[in-house]
Amino acid sequence: MTHDLDVLARHCAKGRVSRRTFLARAAALGVAAPVAARVLGHAEAQAATPIKGGDLVLGNAGGSTTDSLDPASWASQVPLNFSRTWAETLVFTDPNDGSAQPMLAESWEASADAKTWAFKIRKGVTFHNGREMTVEDVVASLQRHSNEDAKSGALGIMKTIGSDFSADGDNLVVKLETANADLPFLLSDYHLAIQPGGGFEAPDAGIGTGAYIIEVNEPGVRHTAVKNPNHWNPDVGHYDSVTVLVINDDTARIAALTSGKAHTINRVAPKTVDLLRRAPGVAINNVSGRGHYVFINHIDTEPFTNNDLRLALKFAVDREELVDKILNGLGSVGNDFPINGAYALFPEEIEQRPFDPDQAAFHYKKSGHDGSPIVLRTSNAAFPGAEDAAVLYQASCQKAGIPLEIKREPADGYWSNVWNTQPFCVSYWGGRPTQDQMYSVAYQSTADWNDTRFKRDDFDKLLIEARGELDQTRRKELYTEMALTLRDEGGLILPMFNDFVDAATDRLKGQVLDPAGGMSNGYIGLRTWLDDA
């Protein structure tokens, strides 16, 4: 079905089939209209002829003076978006169907039991220092992220993979202790950029294999990369340069776009979308996906060690109000586990948790909390409208008699000083390609990014079993049990899944909406070009 739809989309993009006919045939194939539109948009982008040259400027929130070029450290959007210009992984995910696609790995195959994998590594790829990339560089890169000393954001993933990597001719060979049918997806994680010698000697040197070469690196201010004349793929990276300006303030980002200082901006506050739509020469680009905005508490830290208190805080969230007022309807309610219908095997039978002040008050009283303020740290660095979301949450908590106190934090340094450090704060997740990857990165006991300190042996066992389970019915049962455990006993309060909302000049062509993340999942500098008109 996917092949038929892709062919049909290409015909439509070239004018051989009308848009109405395409959508009608897509419906006949059982494809939902939003998915069909995304496939068509991708085909139209591919059908257009890119214009080479020009200098793309991105105005991005999610940057800090503490940012580093070490892939292990990346935790927010500016490092991610800039990394796509100069660093590459073995695999990337297709924006249309979410499938794993080759990048620095040309192809891969697995043994029948999915425990031994061979990835054929692309030849003729050179690092920005002029040295040819080898299989040994790939092995070393994966080994570094498997090493706890690297403090990698991918460590949780790598612990599920192990550290048995070896070179066999042109192949990277990975031997797993337990079966994992999702391994190619795991290797698409943006931290797992391939570096010379694995980056052991100079992890923050900023030397990769990407379509652009770093020229300017001023953390918290701006980053610029210039065209790599020796890049292995001529079909991506059409600009002379790509610059990321760090603009954490929502109003300043919009001003940068409308004044022409930036060609595209990320994280458009939903409350400004309608106004910005009316601005001349501006296009809004939004796509729903797996991203979610959260309130997270450390369940190993008082007072959050008490599950009744955690349940009280969960029942005290007015999710519909947050989606309506913070997202302006550009999203959907969450249910306190990090999976929605964008994932395969989504447990749709789990009952939606409501806003229930009476239940919240019941659990709060049962918790025996002493009535002292419960401090929630917030900043719009976490997500657009995060400070307003905290205020609304405080008001809904008051209806249940819960004394929530808000502490606003500076945007600069939020991801190093507050997130994953303070016991209760606002945050966001961009989601991951598979349920296994999402749970492994954030909720497995050994994960470095376990930002709720949820550490349960029984949960880990379910995760490992699901990872190697080939029976999809059984696998869904396991994921459902995991979701219920996290929903009812974890420290995650997930009120809403967000659309990724960007805005750009209408001169920006080749836009590919990618449900994996905003800014075309960071690949905007590789996939687009500027129209001279």
mmCIF file of all heavy atoms in Angstrom, residues 195-225:
data_model
loop_
_atom_site.group_PDB
_atom_site.id
_atom_site.type_symbol
_atom_site.label_atom_id
_atom_site.label_comp_id
_atom_site.label_asym_id
_atom_site.label_seq_id
_atom_site.Cartn_x
_atom_site.Cartn_y
_atom_site.Cartn_z
ATOM 1 N N GLN A 195 32.126 10.050 14.535
ATOM 2 C CA GLN A 195 33.238 10.995 14.658
ATOM 3 C C GLN A 195 34.565 10.282 14.406
ATOM 4 O O GLN A 195 34.661 9.054 14.569
ATOM 5 C CB GLN A 195 33.257 11.597 16.076
ATOM 6 C CG GLN A 195 32.024 12.409 16.431
ATOM 7 C CD GLN A 195 32.077 12.904 17.866
ATOM 8 O OE1 GLN A 195 31.678 12.209 18.790
ATOM 9 N NE2 GLN A 195 32.588 14.115 18.056
ATOM 10 N N PRO A 196 35.593 11.025 14.034
ATOM 11 C CA PRO A 196 36.911 10.400 13.844
ATOM 12 C C PRO A 196 37.384 9.751 15.142
ATOM 13 O O PRO A 196 37.361 10.369 16.207
ATOM 14 C CB PRO A 196 37.805 11.580 13.468
ATOM 15 C CG PRO A 196 36.885 12.647 12.984
ATOM 16 C CD PRO A 196 35.623 12.467 13.754
ATOM 17 N N GLY A 197 37.766 8.501 15.048
ATOM 18 C CA GLY A 197 38.216 7.787 16.236
ATOM 19 C C GLY A 197 37.160 7.674 17.306
ATOM 20 O O GLY A 197 37.470 7.418 18.476
ATOM 21 N N GLY A 198 35.910 7.894 16.909
ATOM 22 C CA GLY A 198 34.805 7.807 17.864
ATOM 23 C C GLY A 198 34.659 9.028 18.734
ATOM 24 O O GLY A 198 33.768 9.096 19.581
ATOM 25 N N GLY A 199 35.551 10.026 18.557
ATOM 26 C CA GLY A 199 35.477 11.225 19.380
ATOM 27 C C GLY A 199 36.104 11.074 20.750
ATOM 28 O O GLY A 199 35.953 11.945 21.602
ATOM 29 N N PHE A 200 36.831 9.999 20.962
ATOM 30 C CA PHE A 200 37.441 9.780 22.276
ATOM 31 C C PHE A 200 38.438 10.875 22.646
ATOM 32 O O PHE A 200 38.480 11.332 23.783
ATOM 33 C CB PHE A 200 38.133 8.414 22.321
ATOM 34 C CG PHE A 200 37.220 7.267 22.634
ATOM 35 C CD1 PHE A 200 36.731 6.456 21.618
ATOM 36 C CD2 PHE A 200 36.825 7.006 23.936
ATOM 37 C CE1 PHE A 200 35.875 5.395 21.897
ATOM 38 C CE2 PHE A 200 35.975 5.955 24.232
ATOM 39 C CZ PHE A 200 35.498 5.135 23.206
ATOM 40 N N GLU A 201 39.237 11.300 21.676
ATOM 41 C CA GLU A 201 40.283 12.280 21.979
ATOM 42 C C GLU A 201 39.744 13.708 22.037
ATOM 43 O O GLU A 201 40.182 14.506 22.875
ATOM 44 C CB GLU A 201 41.405 12.189 20.932
ATOM 45 C CG GLU A 201 42.185 10.882 20.990
ATOM 46 C CD GLU A 201 43.375 10.891 20.043
ATOM 47 O OE1 GLU A 201 43.633 11.947 19.418
ATOM 48 O OE2 GLU A 201 44.057 9.854 19.930
ATOM 49 N N ALA A 202 38.812 14.040 21.136
ATOM 50 C CA ALA A 202 38.285 15.410 21.094
ATOM 51 C C ALA A 202 36.794 15.349 20.769
ATOM 52 O O ALA A 202 36.383 15.646 19.652
ATOM 53 C CB ALA A 202 39.032 16.239 20.050
ATOM 54 N N PRO A 203 35.967 14.989 21.741
ATOM 55 C CA PRO A 203 34.539 14.808 21.467
ATOM 56 C C PRO A 203 33.820 16.081 21.044
ATOM 57 O O PRO A 203 32.799 16.019 20.359
ATOM 58 C CB PRO A 203 33.987 14.293 22.794
ATOM 59 C CG PRO A 203 34.971 14.726 23.831
ATOM 60 C CD PRO A 203 36.297 14.691 23.146
ATOM 61 N N ASP A 204 34.371 17.247 21.427
ATOM 62 C CA ASP A 204 33.718 18.514 21.093
ATOM 63 C C ASP A 204 34.426 19.261 19.966
ATOM 64 O O ASP A 204 34.269 20.473 19.811
ATOM 65 C CB ASP A 204 33.627 19.407 22.333
ATOM 66 C CG ASP A 204 34.992 19.719 22.937
ATOM 67 O OD1 ASP A 204 35.996 19.141 22.476
ATOM 68 O OD2 ASP A 204 35.044 20.552 23.868
ATOM 69 N N ALA A 205 35.195 18.521 19.149
ATOM 70 C CA ALA A 205 35.935 19.159 18.055
ATOM 71 C C ALA A 205 35.016 19.603 16.921
ATOM 72 O O ALA A 205 35.400 20.451 16.106
ATOM 73 C CB ALA A 205 37.003 18.208 17.514
ATOM 74 N N GLY A 206 33.830 19.038 16.828
ATOM 75 C CA GLY A 206 32.888 19.439 15.791
ATOM 76 C C GLY A 206 33.274 18.957 14.408
ATOM 77 O O GLY A 206 32.960 19.600 13.404
ATOM 78 N N ILE A 207 33.939 17.814 14.338
ATOM 79 C CA ILE A 207 34.326 17.239 13.045
ATOM 80 C C ILE A 207 33.419 16.058 12.744
ATOM 81 O O ILE A 207 33.366 15.093 13.506
ATOM 82 C CB ILE A 207 35.798 16.784 13.052
ATOM 83 C CG1 ILE A 207 36.713 17.988 13.268
ATOM 84 C CG2 ILE A 207 36.149 16.084 11.739
ATOM 85 C CD1 ILE A 207 38.169 17.627 13.435
ATOM 86 N N GLY A 208 32.678 16.175 11.645
ATOM 87 C CA GLY A 208 31.763 15.109 11.261
ATOM 88 C C GLY A 208 31.884 14.786 9.791
ATOM 89 O O GLY A 208 32.920 15.059 9.164
ATOM 90 N N THR A 209 30.817 14.247 9.213
ATOM 91 C CA THR A 209 30.802 13.876 7.798
ATOM 92 C C THR A 209 29.716 14.620 7.039
ATOM 93 O O THR A 209 29.460 14.330 5.883
ATOM 94 C CB THR A 209 30.545 12.364 7.643
ATOM 95 O OG1 THR A 209 29.265 12.054 8.212
ATOM 96 C CG2 THR A 209 31.622 11.543 8.320
ATOM 97 N N GLY A 210 29.050 15.601 7.681
ATOM 98 C CA GLY A 210 27.843 16.193 7.137
ATOM 99 C C GLY A 210 28.036 17.104 5.948
ATOM 100 O O GLY A 210 29.154 17.392 5.509
ATOM 101 N N ALA A 211 26.895 17.604 5.455
ATOM 102 C CA ALA A 211 26.871 18.423 4.241
ATOM 103 C C ALA A 211 27.458 19.813 4.451
ATOM 104 O O ALA A 211 27.696 20.537 3.491
ATOM 105 C CB ALA A 211 25.437 18.537 3.728
ATOM 106 N N TYR A 212 27.671 20.189 5.699
ATOM 107 C CA TYR A 212 28.254 21.490 6.010
ATOM 108 C C TYR A 212 29.381 21.323 7.031
ATOM 109 O O TYR A 212 29.410 20.340 7.781
ATOM 110 C CB TYR A 212 27.193 22.445 6.579
ATOM 111 C CG TYR A 212 26.045 22.704 5.626
ATOM 112 C CD1 TYR A 212 24.885 21.927 5.690
ATOM 113 C CD2 TYR A 212 26.102 23.719 4.675
ATOM 114 C CE1 TYR A 212 23.831 22.146 4.829
ATOM 115 C CE2 TYR A 212 25.043 23.947 3.808
ATOM 116 C CZ TYR A 212 23.906 23.160 3.889
ATOM 117 O OH TYR A 212 22.864 23.381 3.031
ATOM 118 N N ILE A 213 30.286 22.303 7.051
ATOM 119 C CA ILE A 213 31.443 22.297 7.940
ATOM 120 C C ILE A 213 31.327 23.480 8.900
ATOM 121 O O ILE A 213 31.041 24.604 8.477
ATOM 122 C CB ILE A 213 32.754 22.403 7.134
ATOM 123 C CG1 ILE A 213 32.873 21.222 6.160
ATOM 124 C CG2 ILE A 213 33.962 22.461 8.056
ATOM 125 C CD1 ILE A 213 34.019 21.377 5.150
ATOM 126 N N ILE A 214 31.562 23.245 10.157
ATOM 127 C CA ILE A 214 31.408 24.306 11.155
ATOM 128 C C ILE A 214 32.406 25.442 10.908
ATOM 129 O O ILE A 214 33.599 25.220 10.737
ATOM 130 C CB ILE A 214 31.606 23.747 12.576
ATOM 131 C CG1 ILE A 214 30.495 22.747 12.911
ATOM 132 C CG2 ILE A 214 31.615 24.882 13.609
ATOM 133 C CD1 ILE A 214 30.673 22.052 14.237
ATOM 134 N N GLU A 215 31.867 26.657 10.892
ATOM 135 C CA GLU A 215 32.701 27.848 10.740
ATOM 136 C C GLU A 215 32.654 28.719 11.997
ATOM 137 O O GLU A 215 33.661 29.288 12.417
ATOM 138 C CB GLU A 215 32.236 28.667 9.534
ATOM 139 C CG GLU A 215 33.082 29.898 9.268
ATOM 140 C CD GLU A 215 32.618 30.662 8.041
ATOM 141 O OE1 GLU A 215 31.511 31.251 8.092
ATOM 142 O OE2 GLU A 215 33.354 30.666 7.028
ATOM 143 N N VAL A 216 31.468 28.849 12.606
ATOM 144 C CA VAL A 216 31.291 29.678 13.805
ATOM 145 C C VAL A 216 30.568 28.862 14.854
ATOM 146 O O VAL A 216 29.558 28.205 14.559
ATOM 147 C CB VAL A 216 30.476 30.959 13.496
ATOM 148 C CG1 VAL A 216 30.223 31.750 14.781
ATOM 149 C CG2 VAL A 216 31.193 31.814 12.465
ATOM 150 N N ASN A 217 31.078 28.877 16.080
ATOM 151 C CA ASN A 217 30.411 28.202 17.188
ATOM 152 C C ASN A 217 30.453 29.108 18.412
ATOM 153 O O ASN A 217 31.460 29.176 19.109
ATOM 154 C CB ASN A 217 31.088 26.858 17.489
ATOM 155 C CG ASN A 217 30.422 26.139 18.643
ATOM 156 O OD1 ASN A 217 29.204 25.951 18.641
ATOM 157 N ND2 ASN A 217 31.189 25.744 19.633
ATOM 158 N N GLU A 218 29.364 29.826 18.638
ATOM 159 C CA GLU A 218 29.244 30.722 19.783
ATOM 160 C C GLU A 218 28.023 30.280 20.589
ATOM 161 O O GLU A 218 26.907 30.740 20.351
ATOM 162 C CB GLU A 218 29.090 32.175 19.334
ATOM 163 C CG GLU A 218 30.274 32.698 18.535
ATOM 164 C CD GLU A 218 30.048 34.120 18.026
ATOM 165 O OE1 GLU A 218 29.015 34.727 18.395
ATOM 166 O OE2 GLU A 218 30.880 34.614 17.261
ATOM 167 N N PRO A 219 28.207 29.338 21.524
ATOM 168 C CA PRO A 219 27.070 28.794 22.272
ATOM 169 C C PRO A 219 26.223 29.894 22.915
ATOM 170 O O PRO A 219 26.753 30.839 23.494
ATOM 171 C CB PRO A 219 27.739 27.911 23.332
ATOM 172 C CG PRO A 219 29.047 27.522 22.725
ATOM 173 C CD PRO A 219 29.488 28.721 21.940
ATOM 174 N N GLY A 220 24.930 29.738 22.766
ATOM 175 C CA GLY A 220 24.002 30.712 23.311
ATOM 176 C C GLY A 220 23.820 31.932 22.447
ATOM 177 O O GLY A 220 22.976 32.789 22.755
ATOM 178 N N VAL A 221 24.573 32.038 21.336
ATOM 179 C CA VAL A 221 24.491 33.211 20.461
ATOM 180 C C VAL A 221 24.190 32.803 19.019
ATOM 181 O O VAL A 221 23.104 33.058 18.507
ATOM 182 C CB VAL A 221 25.797 34.044 20.511
ATOM 183 C CG1 VAL A 221 25.667 35.288 19.633
ATOM 184 C CG2 VAL A 221 26.117 34.435 21.942
ATOM 185 N N ARG A 222 25.141 32.142 18.377
ATOM 186 C CA ARG A 222 24.924 31.712 16.996
ATOM 187 C C ARG A 222 25.899 30.617 16.626
ATOM 188 O O ARG A 222 26.978 30.467 17.218
ATOM 189 C CB ARG A 222 25.062 32.888 16.021
ATOM 190 C CG ARG A 222 26.479 33.444 15.901
ATOM 191 C CD ARG A 222 26.531 34.592 14.918
ATOM 192 N NE ARG A 222 27.894 35.112 14.807
ATOM 193 C CZ ARG A 222 28.535 35.283 13.657
ATOM 194 N NH1 ARG A 222 27.959 34.980 12.518
ATOM 195 N NH2 ARG A 222 29.763 35.766 13.639
ATOM 196 N N HIS A 223 25.509 29.869 15.607
ATOM 197 C CA HIS A 223 26.328 28.788 15.054
ATOM 198 C C HIS A 223 26.194 28.859 13.527
ATOM 199 O O HIS A 223 25.087 29.023 13.011
ATOM 200 C CB HIS A 223 25.855 27.418 15.530
ATOM 201 C CG HIS A 223 25.677 27.317 17.016
ATOM 202 N ND1 HIS A 223 26.670 26.895 17.862
ATOM 203 C CD2 HIS A 223 24.607 27.588 17.808
ATOM 204 C CE1 HIS A 223 26.229 26.899 19.104
ATOM 205 N NE2 HIS A 223 24.973 27.322 19.097
ATOM 206 N N THR A 224 27.309 28.732 12.827
ATOM 207 C CA THR A 224 27.281 28.771 11.362
ATOM 208 C C THR A 224 28.098 27.616 10.795
ATOM 209 O O THR A 224 29.183 27.312 11.291
ATOM 210 C CB THR A 224 27.844 30.102 10.819
ATOM 211 O OG1 THR A 224 27.026 31.185 11.266
ATOM 212 C CG2 THR A 224 27.865 30.104 9.293
ATOM 213 N N ALA A 225 27.552 26.993 9.752
ATOM 214 C CA ALA A 225 28.273 25.958 9.019
ATOM 215 C C ALA A 225 28.221 26.286 7.534
ATOM 216 O O ALA A 225 27.198 26.772 7.038
ATOM 217 C CB ALA A 225 27.662 24.581 9.288
#
